[in-house]
Amino acid sequence: MSKAALAKVLSALEILVLEYQDDQSFQVIGHLPSWYRSLMGANQEPSAVIYLADAFPFLTYFLDDALQFWQTEQEQVLKSGLWVEVDQSGTEIPLEASALGLDDQRIILIALSQTTYTEKSVLIQQGRENALAQSAERKRAAEQLRHSIFYDWLTELPNQSFIRLRLVDALSQTKTGPDGSFALLYIDIKHFKAINTRLGLWAGDQLLMMVAQRLSELLRPDDIAARFGGDDFVVLLRPVDGEQETRKITEKIQRHLLVPYAIHSQDIHIQFDMGIAMGSSLYQQPEDLIRDACTALEYAKSHGAENYAIFHQTMHLQSLTRMQLEHDLSRAVWQNELRVCYQPIISLADGSLQAFEALVRWQHPTLGLLSPDQFIAIAEDSGLIIPIGAWILREACEQIHKWRNQTHLPLSMHVNLSARQLDQLDLLDSIRGILAETQLDPRGLKLEITETMVFNNLEYAAAMLRQIKGLGIQLSMDDFGTGYASLSYLHQLPVDNLKIDRSFVETIDTSGTESEIIQAVVQLAHSLNIDVVAEGVETVEQANRLKNLGCEYAQGYLFAKPMEPGQIEKVLHKNFASLFDAVQV
């Protein structure tokens, strides 16, 4: 409770509040009742400093006891006293006082006593009994306060404050023990905001509690799991025998956390990114260790195939570079540094041009031309993908509208849709607005999604995709075969075609296994009235093999690299059949 709030409460009780000063005086911070004015004189102001010897002679003795009490007692509880002052008219005024330790404040409360001086002995006895009761109550209140300070209200796990204290202790032991004897694991839930958006805040809270429970189940005797805030958790692994054991424990935690979560009677699949900082005598403060664990976390998000990374010094430079790129990217759209290139998609049946895929590039002022894999992940994590994605969609729709008018062909434009965009509450309105602005027939637009985007919450994704499909837009499943259980849920999604990932295509002319996989995918797709596009086609052999397996469309360097709009003008009426019909498989 603040001074102002405390003073307001006590004023209503006709209590005078005096705060102890360094010069052994008291500053009035509360109400001045009428009996105090008669005692000290009407001219005394509430802000006046009261010197005890001049104000309350007997209070001086009480102060001596209070000072000793404040210096020696562990628990800062009330200590009551009773005495009588005589005012200017000679009238006895019975007073009661209490000494209170409030955080770093030392306060004396003085009130007009309702008892006579002769009842002092009875009052003292009662005061002792009350003090015991008050002490027990204050201990309970102190424990509640401690719990609120050091524990998370939702998950009941320790919080930031608690874990920082334990890190101080762990770091102090590295001064005498070996480095790497403990590790800090920082855990971030991927796309957590999407859970709140799709299922509601209650579902998000349920997920956090379930994650906390699973972490608690995995703790060894000296490990500590804590909620660090939002959807972030940390685990203090102590002890660990270097990086090898740390990796082993981390992977065990990862496997345990990846098991689906039953929320709203459906299984929710969640992914996690993790960053690890190993304990070392080089660290001086917990904040330094936390910073490096976060740096490793960011590295894992953009580089870690295993979704976790252990901090090493080289990550500092990469982190700074990433921060600078994010800063530059925030201005790239408005400074016209982004550009869209287009890669043709052709028919394997007759070599005709069917569509284009819009691929963004960034002409950085100092780093040169950057490909999507150098900045799209940064855009996703920072939220910049929302304005960038809208800009790409507008540019692509405007361009395909122009080419459709030029060629009078039913060409379509493939545009990638990110996970962040799919979670936009106003996504449908944004798409409608861009279609109206560019005057594009919705049938000329095909939005590409990935398996990972829909896997986290299939029910929500399917509903959103059906609404997009309702606008007359087609849908394509990108990078098919690299995600989770693709074949098992494909029939639930309203997609028009799927794109076989280039990793299957690149070995199709040398691996019988890849051919069998592609053939199975093509057969399944056709049974669902879905067309198939093969990505990354670079050789004549690959093109013909795909054609014989029943794949309808292809794109890749065999036909054309991504090109600027001006270069595309030269191939709008080109037939690509001559590039692969020469060889028959």
Side-chain angles (χ1 to χ4, degrees), residues 155-452:
T155 64
E156 292 295 323
L157 288 180
N159 60 15
Q160 278 196 46
S161 299
F162 187 94
I163 205 72
R164 287 176 193 273
L165 291 176
R166 291 297 173 264
L167 285 175
V168 170
D169 179 51
L171 288 173
S172 67
Q173 293 191 19
T174 62
K175 308 304 179 183
T176 56
D179 286 354
S181 59
F182 77 93
L184 183 69
L185 174 62
Y186 200 109
I187 304 172
D188 175 68
I189 302 176
K190 280 188 176 183
H191 309 306
F192 176 73
K193 290 182 179 179
I195 300 297
N196 286 334
T197 301
R198 297 170 180 178
L199 300 179
L201 296 177
W202 178 87
D205 287 347
Q206 288 295 308
L207 176 61
L208 292 174
M209 289 188 287
M210 294 169 77
V211 170
Q213 178 62 34
R214 292 193 186 182
L215 286 175
S216 299
E217 293 169 355
L218 293 173
L219 295 181
R220 299 171 303 163
D222 293 327
D223 292 341
I224 300 173
R227 183 187 176 195
F228 215 66
D231 60 324
D232 293 343
F233 294 84
V234 298
V235 181
L236 178 58
L237 301 174
R238 187 180 185 189
V240 291
D241 186 14
E243 289 190 10
Q244 184 174 357
E245 185 181 13
T246 301
R247 288 182 181 275
K248 182 178 179 181
I249 297 172
T250 299
E251 290 168 4
K252 180 180 179 181
I253 291 174
Q254 193 176 53
R255 289 192 300 270
H256 198 59
L257 293 181
L258 286 175
V259 176
Y261 297 80
I263 300 176
H264 281 328
S265 300
Q266 59 180 301
D267 287 341
I268 305 299
H269 297 264
I270 304 297
Q271 292 179 291
F272 300 81
D273 289 309
M274 302 181 183
I276 304 165
M278 301 300 298
S280 167
S281 58
L282 296 176
Y283 289 109
Q284 300 298 319
Q285 300 293 335
E287 287 71 20
D288 300 331
L289 193 73
I290 295 168
R291 176 203 63 207
D292 287 350
C294 289
T295 298
L297 173 70
E298 293 304 318
Y299 183 91
K301 287 182 178 180
S302 56
H303 297 87
E306 299 171 311
N307 289 330
Y308 76 86
I310 295 179
F311 175 81
H312 294 287
Q313 287 298 326
T314 55
M315 292 181 185
H316 262 316
L317 180 59
Q318 295 173 353
S319 178
L320 293 174
T321 301
R322 182 183 174 90
M323 289 175 60
Q324 185 61 50
L325 278 177
E326 182 178 331
H327 177 266
D328 295 344
L329 187 58
S330 65
R331 302 180 301 177
V333 173
W334 322 120
Q335 294 183 349
N336 297 317
E337 294 173 3
L338 297 181
R339 59 187 60 179
V340 182
C341 295
Y342 303 92
Q343 186 174 35
I345 298 174
I346 61 96
S347 168
L348 288 174
D350 58 14
S352 61
L353 181 64
Q354 296 292 312
F356 298 93
E357 180 178 2
L359 300 165
V360 67
R361 301 288 187 268
W362 180 11
Q363 188 63 52
H364 193 279
T366 58
L367 299 177
L369 190 65
L370 302 181
S371 60
D373 60 348
Q374 294 175 281
F375 64 90
I376 287 299
I378 297 175
E380 282 272 6
D381 292 340
S382 64
L384 291 171
I385 194 65
I386 301 299
I388 290 175
W391 177 83
I392 294 171
L393 183 60
R394 186 177 293 104
E395 290 284 311
C397 287
E398 185 176 322
Q399 193 63 68
I400 196 64
H401 176 67
K402 176 183 176 182
W403 289 336
R404 285 166 66 97
N405 287 341
Q406 279 184 238
T407 62
H408 301 290
L409 295 173
L411 300 172
S412 61
M413 180 66 74
H414 291 236
V415 181
N416 291 285
L417 191 67
S418 74
R420 282 287 187 99
Q421 289 174 287
L422 191 64
D423 290 332
Q424 274 184 271
L425 296 177
D426 61 345
L427 176 62
L428 293 176
D429 291 337
S430 177
I431 295 173
R432 287 193 194 96
I434 290 173
L435 289 174
E437 180 184 337
T438 59
Q439 299 182 335
L440 176 65
D441 184 337
R443 292 173 293 180
L445 177 62
K446 189 169 290 186
L447 294 177
E448 293 193 1
I449 59 174
T450 64
E451 295 177 61
T452 304

